[in-house]
Amino acid sequence: MPELPEVEVVRRGLESHILGRRFASVEVFHPRAVRGFDPVSFSSLLDATRIRSVDRRGKYLWMVVEGDSGASEQALFVHLGMSGQMLVNRETQPVGKHERIRATFTDGSVLSFVDQRTFGRWAMMSLVPDPHGTVDAIGGPRLIPEAVAHVAMDPLETAFTEDDRHLDNTITRIKAKNSEIKRVLLDQTVIAGIGNIYADEALFAAGIRPRRRASGLSRPAIRRIIGHARAVMLRALDEGGTSFDSLYVNVNGSSGYFSRSLQVYGREGKPCKVCGTPIKRVQFGGRSSHYCPVCQR
């Protein structure tokens, strides 16, 4: 599943290519892509609306849309699932085998939602004030889709990095958990956007093993983990995200290259790039964690 850097790469691509464009039509080719909505009438929900902004929190992506009146009361919520791709400028391409939705804009350009495994979806949602109290670009309350209201802030949000209260609150929530730190980092209600890959990489950089109890870590140690998570995700963002197969691509269909820079994730049995010790893998809760037994004491 795409993690925060991969979703942010997609968000930036959409913002660059389709911000301000107006929907002309939306064709749904698979009902699961808009589950909860009537596929035939889904197009009418976006009819003649304009994309006012493209936003994200953690792994969740949405586009705020407004009608002719200028009111922006709804969001086109996008969940990429395991294999969802948002591809632009495919107006000359025939409908592909795994293309689930095709949106055409009034200027003739096209946005396609391609999803091989059909776990992703589009949905229209109401907007609600962010329960974390963040503000928008003009100082008003930031509005987010109702499905995202339960999600914690992520380390790449501007408010998270500029207001120490958000960071301190996150540290408090993490330290209150009597569970393995790796499991806590994956809890999107505690801190958003850190998935399996970047949790392993952040813990390696912080020198902390994934099965350490969060409650037993000091506040400075937790702050260090969050700082490394932010740093490693920013580096991944610079390289277009992490791609292990053809399922994750940006809006132009290109893959990211951060997998070449991974220190521990997916490297079981290979020598640590720092000390040479073979990387170990442990399993818990249906997931795997990779760590260096020397660098992470």
Side-chain angles (χ1 to χ4, degrees):
M1 178 178 179
E3 297 187 19
L4 187 158
E6 292 77 57
V7 178
E8 175 62 12
V9 168
V10 173
R11 189 203 69 79
R12 292 182 181 185
L14 293 174
E15 187 174 66
S16 173
H17 286 83
I18 66 173
L19 184 65
R21 289 184 175 173
R22 193 175 295 275
F23 288 97
S25 64
V26 177
E27 298 174 273
V28 178
F29 306 120
H30 196 296
R32 277 183 56 83
V34 292
R35 49 191 175 274
F37 295 85
D38 175 18
V40 177
S41 61
F42 188 82
S43 177
S44 64
L45 300 176
L46 288 166
D47 187 36
T49 59
R50 184 179 70 89
I51 298 174
R52 198 191 75 169
S53 65
V54 185
D55 210 344
R56 177 198 57 76
R57 168 163 284 170
K59 307 173 187 179
Y60 298 96
L61 178 70
W62 66 91
M63 291 168 267
V64 176
V65 297
E66 62 182 8
D68 292 332
S69 65
S72 53
E73 299 177 347
Q74 284 196 306
L76 173 56
F77 175 83
V78 178
H79 195 298
L80 297 176
M82 296 293 292
S83 59
Q85 302 171 353
M86 300 283 280
L87 303 177
V88 299
N89 298 329
R90 291 168 55 88
E91 55 267 35
T92 61
Q93 300 291 323
V95 175
K97 177 181 178 181
H98 301 299
E99 188 170 353
R100 309 306 183 189
I101 302 173
R102 175 171 289 201
T104 302
F105 299 101
T106 53
D107 63 357
S109 59
V110 165
L111 170 65
S112 294
F113 181 55
V114 178
D115 187 10
Q116 179 177 328
R117 298 175 182 170
T118 65
F119 291 136
R121 67 185 178 112
W122 284 17
M124 294 301 296
M125 292 189 181
S126 299
L127 292 163
V128 298
D130 182 6
H132 298 289
T134 59
V135 298
D136 60 20
I138 59 175
R142 182 190 182 194
L143 299 179
I144 63 174
E146 52 191 355
V148 186
H150 71 288
V151 178
M153 295 180 68
D154 70 62
L156 297 193
E157 290 189 50
T158 301
F160 189 94
T161 58
E162 292 184 350
D163 189 337
D164 283 342
R165 291 176 300 172
H166 295 306
L167 175 57
D168 288 341
N169 289 339
T170 301
I171 292 172
T172 298
R173 286 197 300 272
I174 291 175
K175 189 165 176 57
K177 298 290 185 177
N178 188 32
S179 184
E180 300 97 332
I181 183 60
K182 170 67 179 288
R183 191 187 301 271
V184 175
L185 291 176
L186 300 181
D187 186 342
Q188 302 300 296
T189 66
V190 175
I191 184 168
I194 304 178
N196 219 21
I197 298 172
Y198 301 110
D200 279 0
E201 295 297 303
L203 290 170
F204 172 79
I208 295 171
R209 291 195 182 188
R211 303 197 78 163
R212 286 283 303 276
R213 293 281 171 178
S215 58
L217 295 171
S218 67
R219 292 182 68 90
I222 296 172
R223 181 182 291 265
R224 191 167 72 248
I225 292 169
I226 295 173
H228 283 299
R230 173 177 165 77
V232 74
M233 288 193 290
L234 286 173
R235 291 199 302 273
L237 190 54
D238 287 341
E239 296 187 34
T242 302
S243 299
F244 290 106
D245 56 35
S246 61
L247 294 183
Y248 163 67
V249 294
N250 65 19
V251 297
N252 293 316
S254 300
S255 298
Y257 297 99
F258 191 67
S259 59
R260 302 174 182 176
S261 303
L262 295 174
Q263 300 295 309
V264 290
Y265 182 85
R267 301 190 66 247
E268 179 185 8
K270 297 180 180 179
C272 173
K273 296 179 181 180
V274 175
C275 72
T277 303
I279 299 298
K280 288 190 174 183
R281 179 172 66 93
V282 293
Q283 290 187 301
F284 66 94
R287 293 180 179 268
S288 296
S289 285
H290 301 80
Y291 71 98
C292 172
V294 172
C295 294
Q296 294 166 262
R297 296 189 178 277

